[in-house]
């Protein structure tokens, strides 16, 4: 590298021309790799591809960098490169030459005279003004800032509640006893009833009553063509003092010729033996039928223990098993 910035490549030793071409191409590739301008780097790489002759390589590289080279700035840049090479290799440059070159270039930075550690001909690098621009915050920084603000607002809103819960738990641990409550033990079970005085007679005991006797319906379970009579509740539970729907089922012998069946419902007071009968009900029977049924609604008296049974009068007299009301735990 001369003082005017001209680069001279000489072949030393027994190196062939092909090796020299490879070295020069490798030098240009390293320059293209360190280049800031991506377009210039691409053009340099394209100019180095498929080139074997050194002269052709130099011409292709010169055409590749021509769009980015200003003829008015070429001399100043060459001098700067020469100064950098001289400073890196420790080769001094004549002061007169440096002064002369600096006088020809108006926009060189001013270097103060006097003792300095910098080598002769060195000038401070010119910074890219793009790095001094104030950049706008990115979207990521804005999103992070918004999330931080939301977290601060949520923390400020939840802080009183959290503090109240922590204080309540702290008081429960350190002061488990509430001084406003009376210091007494509450009874787990109620106290026993007080005993009556000796001169007061004991209260009379309540007689729970006796169980009612069985019901006699006064007729057999089957007779003649009637094989069975049953009574059931037609609509839920029956209670004393309320109306009760009773279903009566009468099973017949299909071989017998029965034209109609007549029956009634009897209500028995199991304690007094009183019997209350409803009016007769007659149902026609189809030839060959095995069963007929009917539903009757009757009012039950308000007695403690009742029973309901169905009794047929034609074509034969038969009765069902009594239906107890209530079904269990009846007392007279």
């Amino acid at each position: 590298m001369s003082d005017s910035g001209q680069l001279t490549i000489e072949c030393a030793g027994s190196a062939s021309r092909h090796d020299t071409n490879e070295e020069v191409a490798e030098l240009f590739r390293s320059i293209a790799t360190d280049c800031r301008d991506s377009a210039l780097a691409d053009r340099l790489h394209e100019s180095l591809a498929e080139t074997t002759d050194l002269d052709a390589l130099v011409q292709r590289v010169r055409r590749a960098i021509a769009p980015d080279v200003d003829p008015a700035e070429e001399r100043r840049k060459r001098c700067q490169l020469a100064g950098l090479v001289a400073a890196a290799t420790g080769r001094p440059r004549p002061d007169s030459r440096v002064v002369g070159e600096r006088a020809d270039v108006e926009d060189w930075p001013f270097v103060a005279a006097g003792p300095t550690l910098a080598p002769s001909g060195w000038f401070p690098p010119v910074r890219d003004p793009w790095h001094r621009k104030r950049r706008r915050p990115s979207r990521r920084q804005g999103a992070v800032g918004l999330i931080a603000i939301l977290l601060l607002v949520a923390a400020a809103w939840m802080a009183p509640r959290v503090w109240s819960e922590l204080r309540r738990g702290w008081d429960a641990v350190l002061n488990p006893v509430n001084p406003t409550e009376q210091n007494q033990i509450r009874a787990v079970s109620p106290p026993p009833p007080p005993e009556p005085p000796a001169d007061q007679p004991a209260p009379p005991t309540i007689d729970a009553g006796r169980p009612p006797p069985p019901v006699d319906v006064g007729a057999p379970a089957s007779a003649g063509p009637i094989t069975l009579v049953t009574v059931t509740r037609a609509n839920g539970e029956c209670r004393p003092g309320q109306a009760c729907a009773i279903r009566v089922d009468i099973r017949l012998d299909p071989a017998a010729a029965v034209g109609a069946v007549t029956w009634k419902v009897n209500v028995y007071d199991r304690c007094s033996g009183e019997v209350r009968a409803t009016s007769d009900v007659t149902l026609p029977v189809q030839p060959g039928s095995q069963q007929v049924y009917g539903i009757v609604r009757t009012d039950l008296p308000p007695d403690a223990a009742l029973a309901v049974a169905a009794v047929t009068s034609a074509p034969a007299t038969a009765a069902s098993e009594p239906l107890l009301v209530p079904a269990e735990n009846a007392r007279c």
Side-chain angles (χ1 to χ4, degrees):
M1 176 71 72
S2 64
D3 294 340
S4 60
Q6 299 292 333
L7 178 63
T8 303
I9 301 176
E10 296 180 355
C11 181
S14 59
S16 63
R17 186 175 183 81
H18 177 72
D19 296 337
T20 304
N21 293 347
E22 290 294 332
E23 293 294 333
V24 173
E26 186 64 28
L27 175 61
F28 286 147
R29 290 191 185 95
S30 63
I31 294 174
T33 302
D34 297 336
C35 186
R36 292 184 180 179
D37 191 354
S38 60
L40 177 59
D42 295 339
R43 291 199 302 271
L44 283 176
H45 282 296
E46 293 176 0
S47 65
L48 296 176
E50 299 179 359
T51 303
T52 57
D53 184 43
L54 182 60
D55 295 335
L57 177 63
V58 172
Q59 293 298 328
R60 290 172 65 91
V61 171
R62 190 180 292 273
R63 285 195 300 268
I65 65 175
D68 295 328
V69 175
D70 187 4
E73 297 288 331
E74 182 177 0
R75 183 180 178 186
R76 182 176 67 86
K77 292 182 178 180
R78 287 183 179 275
C79 292
Q80 288 181 345
L81 289 174
L84 290 175
V85 171
T89 57
R91 184 181 64 185
R93 298 183 63 195
D95 294 340
S96 59
R97 181 65 178 272
V98 174
V99 173
E101 291 175 354
R102 287 168 54 189
D104 295 339
V105 182
E106 296 179 358
D107 58 345
W108 279 24
F110 173 75
V111 179
T116 177
L117 297 178
S120 176
W122 179 86
F123 300 97
V126 179
R127 293 183 176 273
D128 191 348
W130 183 83
H131 293 283
R132 295 196 299 268
K133 286 185 178 179
R134 189 170 185 180
R135 303 181 188 178
R136 286 170 39 185
S138 63
R139 293 184 178 179
R140 181 185 232 173
Q141 293 176 348
V144 172
L146 181 61
I147 292 174
I149 293 175
L150 293 178
L151 290 177
L152 290 176
V153 171
W157 182 65
M158 292 292 294
R161 184 180 301 177
V162 173
W163 172 254
S164 177
E165 294 294 334
L166 290 175
R167 187 172 183 180
R168 185 181 303 174
W170 185 261
D171 292 340
V173 173
L174 297 183
N175 303 316
V177 179
N178 190 356
T180 59
E181 296 183 358
Q182 297 182 359
N183 190 10
Q184 62 179 0
I185 299 177
R186 297 179 180 178
V188 178
S189 59
E195 296 181 359
D199 55 351
Q200 183 177 356
T205 59
I206 300 176
D207 187 8
R210 58 181 177 82
V215 178
D216 183 12
V217 295
S222 61
I226 299 176
T227 59
L228 181 65
V229 181
T230 60
V231 291
T232 57
R233 298 178 180 88
N235 188 15
E237 185 179 0
C238 294
R239 296 180 180 179
Q242 297 180 359
C244 181
I246 301 297
R247 171 171 173 159
V248 179
D249 289 270
I250 302 173
R251 297 183 181 273
L252 302 171
D253 185 4
V258 179
V261 175
T262 302
W263 53 272
K264 62 181 178 180
V265 174
N266 293 337
V267 179
Y268 302 88
D269 187 347
R270 299 165 61 189
C271 295
S272 63
E274 181 183 359
V275 180
R276 298 182 183 182
T278 61
S279 59
D280 291 342
V281 178
T282 301
L283 295 176
V285 180
Q286 298 294 332
S289 297
Q290 298 181 3
Q291 178 184 1
V292 292
Y293 74 93
I295 298 176
V296 63
R297 187 178 183 87
T298 181
D299 294 331
L300 300 179
D303 295 328
L306 300 174
V308 179
V311 180
T312 64
S313 57
T317 301
S320 66
E321 291 291 332
L323 178 66
L324 303 181
V325 180
E328 57 185 7
N329 300 328
R331 294 286 179 176
C332 292

